[in-house]
Amino acid sequence: MLRKKKTHNKYSLKLKQSNHILKYGRFGIKSLTFSRLTESQLNALRWIILKKLKSVTDNKKNFRFWTLLSMNLTLTKFNVESRMGKGKGAIYTYATYIKPGMILFEFDNLTEQQIKNLFDYIFKKISFKIKLIK
C-alpha cells in the first residue's frame, strides 16, 4: 500500500501553458477564477456531467469525456479539542487548486447544441465561474 505524503498548502500561482489548450476533444470547460475542489466535489461533478450527457445524447454512448484534474493536495485535520503542537493531523481528503484559464473537462462527438445545454446545466451547479471553449 502506498503511503501519501502530507503536503503543505503551497501551490504555484504561475499559469502553465499546457493547461490552457485543448488536447483531446473539440469542446472544453475552462475556469475563469481561482477555486479549490475536493475529491468528493469532483466525483459529484463528474457524476452530474455523465448523467446529463446521457440525457442530452438520448442515452447513446458515442460521446467522449475527459477529466483533466488531478488531486495534488492533501487536506489534514485535527479534532476540535486538541491542543496546539503535536504535529499536523490526519489526512481527511484530497483536493486540487483551480487557477484561471485551466481546462477542467474536455468533450468530443457532441453537437454544438448539446454542449450548450450541458454547459448551461453545469454553470448552475458549479461554485466558480467557467467558460465554454471550442
Side-chain angles (χ1 to χ4, degrees), residues 55-111:
S55 71
V56 164
T57 59
D58 299 327
N59 221 1
K60 295 175 185 165
K61 294 195 174 184
N62 58 355
F63 58 84
R64 299 188 73 191
F65 167 58
W66 293 271
T67 304
L68 302 178
L69 296 174
S70 62
M71 298 291 130
N72 56 2
L73 180 71
T74 56
L75 300 180
T76 59
K77 185 191 248 184
F78 258 134
N79 58 352
V80 179
E81 296 90 19
S82 64
R83 294 186 180 184
M84 296 290 281
K86 304 282 192 274
K88 191 170 167 83
I91 295 172
Y92 74 96
T93 189
Y94 299 96
T96 184
Y97 279 108
I98 309 249
K99 301 168 195 166
M102 268 179 87
I103 295 178
L104 310 175
F105 304 105
E106 289 192 25
F107 307 94
D108 200 11
N109 296 341
L110 292 170
T111 64

Side-chain angles (χ1 to χ4, degrees), residues 18-81:
S18 61
N19 288 356
H20 298 265
I21 303 166
L22 287 175
K23 295 179 188 175
Y24 306 108
R26 277 185 41 209
F27 302 103
I29 293 180
K30 182 187 255 190
S31 77
L32 297 177
T33 58
F34 282 99
S35 182
R36 186 179 81 180
L37 272 182
T38 62
E39 195 173 25
S40 58
Q41 288 173 330
L42 182 63
N43 289 337
L45 193 58
R46 256 192 222 134
W47 187 79
I48 287 170
I49 289 172
L50 283 173
K51 188 177 174 186
K52 187 64 177 176
L53 273 172
K54 285 179 186 173
S55 71
V56 164
T57 59
D58 299 327
N59 221 1
K60 295 175 185 165
K61 294 195 174 184
N62 58 355
F63 58 84
R64 299 188 73 191
F65 167 58
W66 293 271
T67 304
L68 302 178
L69 296 174
S70 62
M71 298 291 130
N72 56 2
L73 180 71
T74 56
L75 300 180
T76 59
K77 185 191 248 184
F78 258 134
N79 58 352
V80 179
E81 296 90 19

